[in-house]
């Protein structure tokens, strides 16, 4: 048992000693989309520093960004945390305010926006929420004030405006609405007063105002 334990310790020490120290990102040379270090495709961690502070840490595999990439504020807090796979962003990305408050979360798949986008104000209130498919806006997108009131609700289909777009005042009351079809205004543009009563109504067809 003691011999086995000693062998395990020796193996751990050996593996740690083999682990290379990070190199500087500025020492990498990009050629044909691959990052080289001393003429060879780089595998390992590369960093950018300011004095003793790390500002950016990237991981590479065979010359391509691969794994976690972290950008830091000067105060040491994380600014941006994302992942790469074979040189393309893949998986969850999170951005932060300098205070440490979460700013934005989104997802990537092979370099394309995919899934939910969620943005917050620094006070923690939700700023907006939307959805991507193949890097194109899809479905309902909602926007909010710093006090948490809905200010805009819009819809997309394959990256183009589609369906009803609604705008709200600071108290959450609807101000106006317009219908879109195939990315163009089609239907009624309606404006409301503070009581919700219609005060103006015009009709569009293929982005043109009907007379």
């Amino acid at each position: 048992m003691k011999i086995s334990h000693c062998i395990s310790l020796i193996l751990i020490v050996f593996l740690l000693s083999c682990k290379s120290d990070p190199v500087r990102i500025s020492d990498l040379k990009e050629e044909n989309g691959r990052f080289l270090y001393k003429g060879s495709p780089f595998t390992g961690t590369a960093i950018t520093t300011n004095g003793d502070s790390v500002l950016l840490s990237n991981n590479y595999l065979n010359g391509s960004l691969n794994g976690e990439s972290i950008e830091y504020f000067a105060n040491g807090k994380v600014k941006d945390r994302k992942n790469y796979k074979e040189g393309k962003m893949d998986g969850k990305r999170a951005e932060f305010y300098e205070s440490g408050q979460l700013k934005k979360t989104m997802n990537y798949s092979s370099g394309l926006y995919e899934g939910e986008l969620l943005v917050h104000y620094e006070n923690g209130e939700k700023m907006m929420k939307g959805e991507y498919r193949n890097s194109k806006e899809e479905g309902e997108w909602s926007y909010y004030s710093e006090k948490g009131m809905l200010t805009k609700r819009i819809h997309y289909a394959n990256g183009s405006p589609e369906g009803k777009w609604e705008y709200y005042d600071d108290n959450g009351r609807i101000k106006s609405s317009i219908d879109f079809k195939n990315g163009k205004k089609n239907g009624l543009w309606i404006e409301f007063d503070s009581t919700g009563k219609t005060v103006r109504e015009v009709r569009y067809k293929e982005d043109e105002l009907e007379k």
Side-chain angles (χ1 to χ4, degrees), residues 120-137:
H120 293 86
Y121 291 102
E122 195 165 4
N123 65 5
E125 288 286 349
K126 182 163 56 180
M127 181 188 297
M128 65 162 294
K129 180 181 179 181
E131 188 91 9
Y132 280 104
R133 290 182 190 169
N134 295 318
S135 277
K136 294 181 179 180
E137 299 93 336

Side-chain angles (χ1 to χ4, degrees), residues 136-190:
K136 294 181 179 180
E137 299 93 336
E138 189 70 33
E140 182 175 294
W141 286 58
S142 301
Y143 296 76
Y144 302 85
S145 70
E146 286 191 73
K147 295 181 180 180
M149 301 297 295
L150 180 67
T151 60
K152 182 167 61 173
R153 181 188 286 124
I154 60 182
H155 298 82
Y156 291 93
N158 199 33
S160 296
E162 186 74 22
K164 191 172 294 293
W165 284 37
E166 298 173 324
Y167 300 83
Y168 299 82
D169 64 20
D170 293 337
N171 295 310
R173 294 183 295 245
I174 190 166
K175 292 195 303 183
S176 62
S177 69
I178 179 68
D179 289 310
F180 284 87
K181 185 177 181 180
N182 298 324
K184 296 180 179 181
K185 298 184 187 74
N186 273 282
L188 290 176
W189 174 283
I190 306 174

Side-chain angles (χ1 to χ4, degrees), residues 44-62:
T45 302
I47 60 175
T48 296
T49 61
N50 181 17
D52 294 330
S53 300
V54 176
L55 299 181
L56 177 62
S57 174
N58 287 336
N59 288 288
Y60 300 80
L61 179 64
N62 296 324

Side-chain angles (χ1 to χ4, degrees), residues 89-120:
M89 276 194 278
D90 197 87
K92 185 177 180 179
R93 179 179 184 180
E95 297 180 24
F96 301 84
Y97 290 100
E98 196 166 0
S99 64
Q101 172 66 42
L102 181 63
K103 181 179 183 180
K104 181 192 298 184
T105 56
M106 60 194 313
N107 292 278
Y108 290 83
S109 178
S110 298
L112 300 177
Y113 299 132
E114 189 68 40
E116 184 181 77
L117 166 66
L118 189 59
V119 185
H120 293 86

